[in-house]
Amino acid sequence: VPKQNDLLNYFQVS
Amino acid sequence: MFEARLVQGSLLKKVQEALKDIVQEASWDCTSSGLSLQAMDGSHVSLVQLTLRADGFEKYRCDRNLAMGINMGSMSKILKCAGNDDVITLKAEDTSDRLELMFESPKGEKISNYEMKLMDLDCEQLGIPDQEYSCSIKMPSHEFARICRDLSQIGECVVITCTKDGVQFSAKGDMGSGTVKMSQNLGAEKEDDQVTIEMTEPVQLTFAIKYLNMFTKATSLSGSVCLSMSNDVPLVVEYKVEDMGHIKYFLAPKIED
């Protein structure tokens, strides 16, 4: 079952 | 002083409808170049980014940068008080904790004034890298909404596969499976009815349909929608807001455990 990834894994907090 | 007057006030009503299900509170950033907003949903799975350029407003003034913390539920309630044909003006003093909203009927015989309390929000801003995508798909926005609605009956996830032949949306669940394929169609009479696919590399990604369905609340803003995808990065779903800006939704893919 695919797991939901988190957006914070892609975008840096600026 | 911040002041923005939008003759086509219905655009702001539609923008608000397109945002309110995803974000409960958001900072509306006002600068001399326009209004913008960036916010994530509570579970950090999706992000919405709105841009409304100053030159799209009939009148626009912003003397000092302002970040207006807005409760989106309150904003929706107040914007529902505006008629579809009303002219909407937003106003705030530089140091005020209130946003004034004025709605004028087209002939000017009815003028409504509302004031909304602003909030102190401590928002994390994310840096979204500028990036080239392997696939860009432009298709009629109502078709995309229909596909998301239809496949959400079948399963919770949709697999989007883009090749040079077309784009395929598939879902499966306890009762069975469903697949919708859209092929490139450059011959459509109206530009909004065209399906165009630009691809440098095939892409296959899996997403939670629930979020895509929330994004389709923006359908009434634009006749077409653009999906941008690369393997292993968030999907971008973009709707134009006339010629004054856009709403972009980003959605993190599901990954194999």
Side-chain angles (χ1 to χ4, degrees), chain B residues 5 8 13 15 22 29 33 35 38 62 76 78 80 93-94 96 111 118 144 167 177 180 191-192 194 215 218 233:
Chain B
R5 177 181 160 88
Q8 203 182 339
K13 285 166 68 79
V15 162
I22 298 193
D29 297 317
S33 57
L35 273 178
Q38 190 205 88
C62 182
S76 289
I78 292 179
K80 279 196 178 131
E93 300 293 337
D94 287 345
S96 172
I111 295 180
L118 297 174
F144 179 62
V167 57
S177 64
V180 182
E191 207 191 322
D192 281 349
Q194 286 182 358
F215 303 166
V233 301

Side-chain angles (χ1 to χ4, degrees), chain B residues 34-49:
Chain B
L35 273 178
S36 65
L37 173 156
Q38 190 205 88
M40 272 190 289
D41 76 291
S43 52
H44 293 178
V45 170
S46 66
L47 178 145
V48 60
Q49 194 271 318

Side-chain angles (χ1 to χ4, degrees), chain B residues 107-124:
Chain B
K107 288 180 184 157
E109 76 280 22
K110 179 181 171 192
I111 295 180
S112 316
N113 280 287
Y114 291 86
E115 247 192 15
M116 185 172 65
K117 288 184 203 160
L118 297 174
M119 314 163 71
D120 269 329
L121 292 180
D122 189 17
C123 293
E124 279 181 333

Side-chain angles (χ1 to χ4, degrees), chain B residues 129-143:
Chain B
D130 261 336
Q131 132 162 46
E132 295 282 318
Y133 288 90
S134 304
C135 296
S136 287
I137 302 140
K138 186 174 149 285
M139 62 190 285
S141 60
H142 67 90
E143 286 292 3

Side-chain angles (χ1 to χ4, degrees), chain B residues 52-90:
Chain B
L52 298 174
R53 286 185 296 274
D55 59 17
F57 292 87
E58 282 64 34
K59 182 179 178 189
Y60 189 92
R61 174 182 167 189
C62 182
D63 303 336
R64 226 175 87 180
N65 290 357
L66 267 183
M68 300 191 295
I70 287 181
N71 176 301
M72 300 299 273
S74 307
M75 181 88 158
S76 289
K77 282 181 188 165
I78 292 179
L79 283 175
K80 279 196 178 131
C81 303
N84 277 328
D85 301 327
D86 284 0
V87 177
I88 298 182
T89 303
L90 307 176

Side-chain angles (χ1 to χ4, degrees), chain B residues 15-237:
Chain B
V15 162
Q16 178 61 25
E17 283 305 298
L19 302 176
K20 74 168 176 31
D21 289 346
I22 298 193
V23 284
Q24 280 74 53
E25 294 170 351
S27 174
W28 292 62
D29 297 317
C30 315
T31 67
S32 55
S33 57
L35 273 178
S36 65
L37 173 156
Q38 190 205 88
M40 272 190 289
D41 76 291
S43 52
H44 293 178
V45 170
S46 66
L47 178 145
V48 60
Q49 194 271 318
L50 165 73
T51 297
L52 298 174
R53 286 185 296 274
D55 59 17
F57 292 87
E58 282 64 34
K59 182 179 178 189
Y60 189 92
R61 174 182 167 189
C62 182
D63 303 336
R64 226 175 87 180
N65 290 357
L66 267 183
M68 300 191 295
I70 287 181
N71 176 301
M72 300 299 273
S74 307
M75 181 88 158
S76 289
K77 282 181 188 165
I78 292 179
L79 283 175
K80 279 196 178 131
C81 303
N84 277 328
D85 301 327
D86 284 0
V87 177
I88 298 182
T89 303
L90 307 176
K91 250 191 222 183
E93 300 293 337
D94 287 345
T95 54
S96 172
D97 59 350
R98 294 186 184 239
L99 172 67
E100 295 170 43
L101 301 100
M102 180 170 74
F103 309 143
E104 295 165 81
S105 63
K107 288 180 184 157
E109 76 280 22
K110 179 181 171 192
I111 295 180
S112 316
N113 280 287
Y114 291 86
E115 247 192 15
M116 185 172 65
K117 288 184 203 160
L118 297 174
M119 314 163 71
D120 269 329
L121 292 180
D122 189 17
C123 293
E124 279 181 333
Q125 289 281 308
L126 295 186
I128 303 169
D130 261 336
Q131 132 162 46
E132 295 282 318
Y133 288 90
S134 304
C135 296
S136 287
I137 302 140
K138 186 174 149 285
M139 62 190 285
S141 60
H142 67 90
E143 286 292 3
F144 179 62
R146 179 70 200 254
I147 292 167
C148 294
R149 194 185 75 196
D150 290 348
L151 292 181
S152 66
Q153 302 188 94
I154 307 295
E156 290 177 5
C157 297
V158 62
V159 180
I160 307 181
T161 310
C162 184
T163 64
K164 62 179 182 353
D165 297 329
V167 57
Q168 183 173 297
F169 301 83
S170 324
K172 58 184 178 199
D174 294 341
M175 70 178 185
S177 64
T179 294
V180 182
K181 187 174 175 189
M182 299 289 289
S183 301
Q184 185 150 249
N185 154 29
L186 299 169
E189 253 177 57
K190 284 194 245 159
E191 207 191 322
D192 281 349
D193 292 338
Q194 286 182 358
V195 179
T196 60
I197 295 166
E198 285 171 32
M199 193 204 80
T200 53
E201 200 187 348
V203 173
Q204 183 169 71
L205 289 167
T206 304
F207 299 101
I209 301 184
K210 174 176 89 166
Y211 291 95
L212 296 178
N213 263 327
M214 287 197 261
F215 303 166
T216 62
K217 294 283 160 65
T219 302
S220 64
L221 277 169
S222 174
S224 65
V225 61
C226 183
L227 313 182
S228 302
M229 301 197 297
S230 291
N231 285 314
D232 307 318
V233 301
L235 161 78
V236 189
V237 180

